[in-house]
Amino acid sequence: MSSQSPDTKIILKSPVRAPSAVPVDDAVLPFEVDALDLRGRLTRLGPTLDDILTKHDYPAPVGKLLGEAIVLTTLLGSSLKFDGRFILQTQTDGPVSFLIVDFQAPDRLRAYARYDANRLKGGQKSAILLGRGHLAMTIDQGADMSRYQGLVALDGGGLEEAAHEYFLRSEQIPTRVRLAVGEEWRGGDGGRHRWRGGGMLLQFLPKAPERARQADLHPGDAPEGTIVHAFAEDDAWVEGQSLISTVEDVELIDPDLSGERLLYRLFHERGVRVFKPLALQAQCSCSREAVSSMLASFTPRDRADMVKDGKVVVTCEFCSSVYQFTPEEAGVE
């Protein structure tokens, strides 16, 4: 047995390895850049996103917009530390008047969009498709817990801008978000376009809270001449914003570029640590029992009006599953 000299210092270091070259789809990869007090999440969606979008055969602009909402929801919902739900929903006056994404922790996704095909035009960007209205983000902690909801006005901007506004006003955490959705062509399975998506969320979380201070909100209709608050951003956050702004859409959705390699490209000079990825899947929560309970909530007259050709047919808006009931099963007198 040998004793260690009291002058010997033991320095514990985190394991260091090369970034994995193996791409992982349908997962959220948490990471941190300790030297800059940055934390974030990177998501890459492949078959899960394609499954959700192709169930409805959305026009390309609508599919891209809903895909962006799904990517944003995975970035936000994957932070839940309990078995609850994160719901992102928009209601606007644009061609896509309504969309909803439901993330049920820890890994289940479903989504749906309502649009006016007559108002769709080629080349319309997401901001035009949304128009003006509001974006609601709801955290549902369960039947016995209160809900938390944050609202953001949509005033001609896209989902990235809305996310930044949400964190500025509600969470007051310096945050930047990047979203990308596109279609790729693969020759297998007869050849068809497949949807892919990717996104990154980066937050500045220093140990000293005063370092994370942001500029005060715009004074709005304050008297003319009111001085708008200005301040110098922390150098670490300036660097973090500069780095995430260099990420290109193609890097976020490239099926041959692993998430670890993308993070290494951005932060290798400062050092980046990744954590265990969180798997995602497309799975609706509808069931015959749930639909039957929903029918029971209608009035007898409403249930009678649902009978067509001797049966009641209900189609799930999320996954397009069809449930058929006889009038007796539907509770029609």
Side-chain angles (χ1 to χ4, degrees):
M1 178 182 294
S2 62
S3 62
Q4 189 172 31
S5 168
D7 296 328
T8 301
K9 293 183 179 180
I10 300 177
I11 301 176
L12 298 177
K13 293 184 178 180
S14 300
V16 176
R17 62 173 173 82
S20 171
V22 180
V24 178
D25 280 340
D26 301 332
V28 177
L29 181 65
F31 66 89
E32 72 172 5
V33 184
D34 190 58
L36 297 176
D37 291 318
L38 302 176
R39 285 184 175 269
R41 292 184 290 280
L42 172 68
T43 186
R44 312 294 290 276
L45 296 175
T48 289
L49 183 67
D50 188 65
D51 182 40
I52 294 173
L53 296 181
T54 53
K55 274 186 168 64
H56 292 275
D57 193 24
Y58 292 111
V62 179
K64 183 176 184 297
L65 174 60
L66 184 57
E68 290 174 356
I70 294 170
V71 172
L72 177 58
T73 301
T74 63
L75 291 172
L76 301 179
S78 59
S79 66
L80 295 180
K81 304 302 182 184
F82 50 86
D83 290 336
R85 301 171 79 174
F86 181 90
I87 303 168
L88 184 147
Q89 180 176 328
T90 67
Q91 287 188 311
T92 64
D93 62 2
V96 181
S97 59
F98 173 82
L99 63 80
I100 181 171
V101 186
D102 182 1
F103 177 91
Q104 186 166 343
D107 59 0
R108 290 163 55 180
L109 276 166
R110 61 177 187 166
Y112 168 74
R114 185 183 305 137
Y115 62 94
D116 184 350
N118 295 325
R119 297 176 61 190
L120 295 178
K121 297 179 182 178
Q124 286 177 314
K125 295 184 177 181
S126 296
I128 301 299
L129 293 173
L130 283 172
R132 287 169 169 76
H134 71 266
L135 167 69
M137 301 183 190
T138 304
I139 297 176
D140 185 351
Q141 303 179 72
D144 299 327
M145 303 290 288
S146 59
R147 282 189 169 196
Y148 168 80
Q149 185 174 78
L151 293 175
V152 179
L154 293 172
D155 193 21
L159 292 175
E160 282 188 12
E161 293 86 345
H164 295 157
E165 188 72 8
Y166 169 77
F167 279 101
L168 175 63
R169 295 182 178 273
S170 300
E171 302 293 333
Q172 298 181 339
I173 299 174
T175 303
R176 283 295 175 269
V177 172
R178 284 285 290 110
L179 308 173
V181 173
E183 292 182 276
E184 65 165 341
W185 173 263
R186 291 283 174 134
D189 298 330
R192 73 175 182 88
H193 291 278
R194 296 181 183 274
W195 288 101
R196 291 191 58 80
M200 184 182 297
L201 179 145
L202 190 68
Q203 294 184 312
F204 182 48
L205 297 167
K207 296 179 178 62
E210 61 272 12
R211 289 181 60 203
R213 187 181 178 189
Q214 302 183 82
D216 293 340
L217 298 177
H218 192 277
D221 57 356
E224 185 176 351
T226 299
I227 298 176
V228 178
H229 176 239
F231 79 112
E233 288 187 306
D234 191 283
D235 290 342
W237 180 229
V238 171
E239 183 175 344
Q241 292 179 89
S242 299
L243 291 172
I244 194 173
S245 67
T246 65
V247 179
E248 299 182 0
D249 288 3
V250 66
E251 292 180 294
L252 289 171
I253 63 176
D254 186 350
D256 299 318
L257 174 64
S258 74
E260 290 195 356
R261 281 196 167 180
L262 174 55
L263 292 174
Y264 182 77
R265 281 183 183 178
L266 290 177
F267 304 113
H268 67 277
E269 291 184 357
R270 293 292 190 172
V272 57
R273 178 186 300 169
V274 297
F275 302 95
K276 183 179 179 180
L278 311 172
L280 302 169
Q281 61 176 321
Q283 183 176 338
C284 190
S285 60
C286 72
S287 66
R288 186 175 180 84
E289 292 73 20
V291 175
S292 180
S293 297
M294 180 270 295
L295 290 173
S297 67
F298 289 98
T299 65
R301 181 171 181 176
D302 288 338
R303 289 196 295 268
D305 290 340
M306 295 178 187
V307 178
K308 304 294 182 184
D309 299 325
K311 56 188 175 182
V312 175
V313 180
V314 178
T315 302
C316 177
E317 288 187 327
F318 286 100
C319 65
S320 299
S321 296
V322 178
Y323 298 93
Q324 296 188 13
F325 300 84
T326 64
E328 293 75 16
E329 290 173 334
V332 177
E333 297 178 359

